[in-house]
Amino acid sequence: MSYNEQIEYKIKKFIDIFKREPDEVIKSPKIIYYRNRMDYAVGPNYEVGLKEYGKWYSYVNIDECFLQSPESNIIRV
C-alpha cells in the first residue's frame, strides 16, 4: 500500500471511530527507515524475517527491510 493510500485508510478509520473529520493530518517527512525497533522471527534454517500477520508460527522471509535503518539490514544478515 502506498504512503498516500495509508494516509487515506487511516483518515477513514479515524472517521469511523470518532465520527468526525480530523482537524489536521500531518504527513511524515520520512516514510522509509523510520523505526528504531523491530521484532524479527527466525526460521528453522536460521532465516531471518518477519512474522506473518496473524500467524505466530509462520514467518515471511525478507531480503531487505525499509522500516529500520539501512545498517539494520547488514546486522540482520
Side-chain angles (χ1 to χ4, degrees), residues 56-67:
W56 62 268
Y57 53 85
S58 182
Y59 74 100
V60 178
N61 193 15
I62 59 172
D63 293 321
E64 186 172 6
C65 179
F66 294 101
L67 298 177

Side-chain angles (χ1 to χ4, degrees), residues 44-76:
N45 296 316
Y46 304 104
E47 308 92 346
V48 179
L50 298 172
K51 292 181 204 170
E52 187 175 347
Y53 180 75
K55 297 180 181 177
W56 62 268
Y57 53 85
S58 182
Y59 74 100
V60 178
N61 193 15
I62 59 172
D63 293 321
E64 186 172 6
C65 179
F66 294 101
L67 298 177
Q68 283 192 285
S69 70
E71 293 82 10
S72 68
N73 288 306
I74 297 166
I75 295 167
R76 183 181 46 79

